[in-house]
Amino acid sequence: MSYTGKCACGAVTLQIDAKPLATRQCWCRQCQAIAAGGPTTNAIFPADAVAIEGALGASSWNADSGNTLTFHFCAACGSQVYGQSSARPTMKTVRFGVIDQPHDLAPSAVIWTEDAPPWARIDPTLDQFARQPPAPVAPK
C-alpha cells in the first residue's frame, strides 16, 4: 500500500510506502491549537516508510503525556505535515490533510477526549481514549 501527498502550496511532497499502524483523531490541547480549534486527524506510519521532500519548519513542546512532541510543517505555507513523539521516534504521525485524495483512510479511534470542548461531535462508533492510548505496534 502506498500514499502520496503534498502541502497546500506544493513545496513539500510525501511518498508513503506502508499501511498505517493506526488512524486517530486527536483532541489534545496542542492539536486543537494547531488545527484552529478542532482535532487533528492522523495516520501513524513507520518513520522509514515516509519520504518527504521540501523545506520543513518544526516546533516542539512537552505534552501532557510527558513526551516531547515535535510538529513539522511546510516552511513556505505552514501546512501541518507530521508530528513525532520522543516516545516513538520510529513512527511518524502524518496529517490526513496532506495525503492526496482519494485515499482509504478514516480514523478508527478518538484520543484525548477529556480535552475536547463541549461542542465537539465525537463519533460514538470509534474507540475512545480519555487521554494517551497505548502506542501502535510496529511490524517486525
Side-chain angles (χ1 to χ4, degrees):
M1 174 142 318
S2 67
Y3 301 92
T4 59
K6 59 187 168 301
C7 66
C9 73
V12 173
T13 59
L14 295 88
Q15 176 65 46
I16 305 167
D17 292 315
K19 285 178 57 174
L21 304 172
T23 54
R24 298 175 174 165
Q25 190 176 67
C26 182
W27 279 98
C28 78
R29 289 298 300 144
Q30 290 93 347
C31 281
Q32 289 179 57
I34 64 172
T40 60
T41 308
N42 311 288
I44 303 170
F45 294 99
D48 60 3
V50 181
I52 299 172
E53 291 188 18
L56 293 174
S59 180
S60 297
W61 60 73
N62 291 325
D64 288 340
S65 64
N67 301 315
T68 299
L69 296 181
T70 302
F71 294 94
H72 301 268
F73 50 89
C74 172
C77 69
S79 294
Q80 285 287 316
V81 177
Y82 76 96
Q84 200 159 30
S85 171
S86 61
R88 292 175 288 287
T90 60
M91 299 178 193
K92 287 185 178 174
T93 302
V94 179
R95 311 295 179 214
F96 274 26
V98 298
I99 299 173
D100 290 333
Q101 291 285 348
H103 60 67
D104 60 348
L105 302 173
S108 61
V110 183
I111 66 174
W112 288 91
T113 58
E114 75 176 23
D115 284 354
W119 51 261
R121 299 292 177 249
I122 297 173
D123 185 340
T125 66
L126 300 179
D127 292 336
Q128 295 182 30
F129 298 88
R131 295 180 61 82
Q132 187 68 27
V137 178
K140 296 186 190 234

